[in-house]
Amino acid sequence: MDSQAKRVETISARLDAAGSSTDSVEDELELSAVRHRPEGLEQLEALTRFNRKELQILYRGFKNECPSGVVNEDTFKDIYSQFFPQGDASKYAHFLFNAFDTNKDGSVSFEDFVMGLSILLRGSVQEKLNWAFNLYDINKDGYITKEEMLDIMKAIYDMMGKCTYPLVKDDTPRQHVELFFQKMDKNKDGVVTIDEFIDCCQNDENIMRSMQLFENVI
């Protein structure tokens, strides 16, 4: 089994600690009175980079935590905080929830979840950077400000916990943001566009590695 397949199963196992259901996804969709019914497996296979079995595994885990078929922000935070008990994941989970909630209706459906997960785990570099830009663009105005980048960076450090970074000082996130922003904001207009963001990340290996931190905190 390759590392990506293992990550899918790991994520699903975290969602579904019980993991005891053997019913097919089709039967579950027909029999369950869910508030939101996901798209058919064939359509999700076409829209994502997951195969049928992986989608079944992910759906069972998702439905175990979210029987209604959708997850609200509070539930999302509760689930996500279990992955990072050593720190405070609430702020980062808030930003992550907004990135997954593509239609901005205050909930994340199974389709939202697997579409985002597909990009994060198996998307191209361009797709991952587009997704990352959307995460950092908190107010979704098409630009990243220094304050937005700092909010995300602080949230990541809070989530990982001080025990993970014993030598980190309180101003370390700001120092990282100052460095990133100086390199990304090429025309010095105080904001970073998606073209500036992608161009800088693709041409600076250090920033690329740092910006890919989000892959490890999904």
Side-chain angles (χ1 to χ4, degrees):
M1 181 183 297
D2 61 27
S3 59
Q4 290 181 338
K6 287 181 179 178
R7 290 186 73 180
V8 170
E9 291 206 353
T10 299
I11 292 169
S12 178
R14 286 172 169 177
L15 284 171
D16 184 10
S20 58
S21 174
T22 58
D23 293 335
S24 70
V25 171
E26 291 87 350
D27 288 343
E28 291 180 9
L29 295 181
E30 290 173 4
L31 298 174
S32 299
V34 295
R35 183 157 60 91
H36 176 86
R37 293 181 183 277
E39 301 289 346
L41 284 180
E42 288 185 3
Q43 185 169 349
L44 287 177
E45 274 188 276
L47 293 173
T48 70
R49 290 177 171 85
F50 295 124
N51 61 37
R52 188 181 188 86
K53 173 141 177 98
E54 289 169 334
L55 288 168
Q56 288 176 330
I57 292 171
L58 288 168
Y59 179 69
R60 287 181 184 132
F62 187 90
K63 186 169 173 291
N64 183 66
E65 289 289 347
C66 317
S68 68
V70 295
V71 57
N72 61 29
E73 184 172 341
D74 288 340
T75 303
F76 187 89
K77 286 180 179 179
D78 289 342
I79 296 171
Y80 197 75
S81 64
Q82 297 173 27
F83 302 167
F84 298 93
Q86 74 277 20
D88 179 2
S90 60
K91 290 181 182 178
Y92 188 77
H94 166 73
F95 297 132
L96 195 62
F97 179 86
N98 286 339
F100 274 105
D101 180 17
T102 54
N103 61 359
K104 307 305 169 197
D105 64 354
S107 63
V108 171
S109 67
F110 180 66
E111 294 97 317
D112 294 331
F113 175 67
V114 294
M115 292 284 285
L117 200 61
S118 176
I119 292 172
L120 288 171
L121 292 182
R122 296 176 182 175
S124 65
V125 171
Q126 181 87 14
E127 287 172 330
K128 290 179 179 180
L129 290 176
N130 278 324
W131 200 94
F133 182 88
N134 180 59
L135 175 68
Y136 279 80
D137 178 17
I138 294 173
N139 67 358
K140 312 306 178 193
D141 65 351
Y143 302 95
I144 299 175
T145 65
K146 192 177 292 186
E147 290 73 23
E148 286 176 321
M149 189 176 287
L150 182 60
D151 285 344
I152 297 287
M153 197 66 68
K154 283 182 176 178
I156 290 174
Y157 276 100
D158 287 345
M159 175 178 61
M160 300 307 289
K162 291 184 180 295
C163 61
T164 308
Y165 302 93
L167 300 179
V168 164
K169 299 178 181 178
D170 289 341
D171 62 347
T172 297
R174 184 174 294 277
Q175 290 175 354
H176 284 171
V177 168
E178 291 289 346
L179 175 63
F180 293 161
F181 216 84
Q182 185 177 10
K183 291 185 177 182
M184 290 182 180
D185 184 17
K186 293 184 178 181
N187 62 358
K188 308 303 178 188
D189 63 351
V191 295
V192 172
T193 66
I194 190 165
D195 290 335
E196 288 175 323
F197 180 83
I198 291 176
D199 182 66
C200 184
C201 288
Q202 289 183 326
N203 290 287
D204 189 310
E205 290 185 5
N206 290 328
I207 289 184
M208 188 69 165
R209 283 195 297 268
S210 298
M211 297 306 288
Q212 283 182 332
L213 178 61
F214 70 88
E215 284 192 61
N216 298 318
V217 292
I218 58 172

